[in-house]
């Protein structure tokens, strides 16, 4: 009998919204609503790619759908996580991004979440349950602490699509 490996597939994207607040760099966390997966857990923006959709397009769409923000200052965190989707025998590959947003914009939640909270980065890292979210937030803090990606801005900044 031949056992073939589970294929890897980019099916999900993670995006973390950051802003410079009174306490320094802050991260937006969203609490999962009742009736969905992992109710009560805190996370960043997270979602599936649509068929034929690029990873960057999915990241921008998910930010708008889940928070009401536009992902104008989108950064590739140079991090890709993987996890096994046991129900479908697939290894999900999950690219991670961050978006720097202005301090005064209201959050508009989707039905997936029932609450949002801006927290200092260290508190946000402590609140989330998934280790991959902790790692990505820590990386975002290192890469974007100054409000941009400094010497690697040209590599990590994802340019807005042409109109």
């Amino acid at each position: 009998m031949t056992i073939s490996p589970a294929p890897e597939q980019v099916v999900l994207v993670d995006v973390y919204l950051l802003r410079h607040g009174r306490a320094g760099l802050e991260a937006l966390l969203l609490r999962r609503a009742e009736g969905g997966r992992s109710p009560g857990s805190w996370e960043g923006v997270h979602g599936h790619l649509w068929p034929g959709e690029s990873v960057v397009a999915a990241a921008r769409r998910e930010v708008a759908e889940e928070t009401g923000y536009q992902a104008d200052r989108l950064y590739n965190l140079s991090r890709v996580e993987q996890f096994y989707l046991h129900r479908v025998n697939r290894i999900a590959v999950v690219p991670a991004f961050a978006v720097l947003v202005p301090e005064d914009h209201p959050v508009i939640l989707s039905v997936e979440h029932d609450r949002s909270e801006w927290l200092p980065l260290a508190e946000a890292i402590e609140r989330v349950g998934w280790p991959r979210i902790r790692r990505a937030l820590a990386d975002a803090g290192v890469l974007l602490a100054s409000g941009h990606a400094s010497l690697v801005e040209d590599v990590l900044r994802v340019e807005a699509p042409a109109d």
Side-chain angles (χ1 to χ4, degrees):
M1 170 167 40
T2 303
I3 299 175
S4 49
E8 292 183 4
Q9 192 172 21
V10 177
V11 294
L12 301 165
V13 64
D14 285 341
V15 188
Y16 303 97
L17 276 67
L18 305 172
R19 71 179 187 187
H20 282 277
R22 291 173 284 284
L25 196 59
E26 298 175 336
L28 178 67
L29 293 185
L30 309 171
R31 188 174 69 182
R32 299 288 307 177
E34 292 296 323
R37 129 186 106 67
S38 306
S41 66
W42 291 88
E43 64 185 11
V45 171
H46 174 77
H48 288 82
L49 275 70
W50 291 346
E53 185 177 39
S54 75
V55 172
V56 169
R60 291 183 192 282
R61 176 184 51 76
E62 288 290 345
V63 166
E65 286 177 3
E66 293 187 13
T67 68
Y69 280 90
Q70 296 302 309
D72 295 329
R73 292 190 59 203
L74 182 67
Y75 289 87
N76 173 357
L77 287 180
S78 192
R79 165 174 288 289
V80 177
E81 294 283 350
Q82 296 182 1
F83 60 88
Y84 180 60
L85 299 168
H86 61 274
R87 292 185 179 107
V88 294
N89 193 35
R90 293 265 189 262
I91 297 171
V93 177
V94 188
F97 295 89
V99 176
L100 288 170
V101 299
E103 188 175 355
D104 57 352
H105 190 288
V107 177
I108 302 168
L109 293 176
S110 71
V111 297
E112 295 176 51
H113 303 99
D114 62 10
R115 188 169 155 203
S116 68
E117 200 167 327
W118 284 102
L119 296 170
L121 192 58
E123 285 182 43
I125 290 169
E126 288 299 314
R127 180 167 302 178
V128 297
W130 291 102
R132 79 171 198 280
I133 297 174
R134 290 183 182 147
R135 291 187 295 266
L137 284 171
D139 283 358
V142 169
L143 293 169
L144 302 170
S146 64
H148 54 77
S150 192
L151 296 176
V152 293
E153 177 86 6
D154 63 327
V155 175
L156 298 183
R157 178 84 180 260
V158 179
E159 295 300 321
D163 291 332

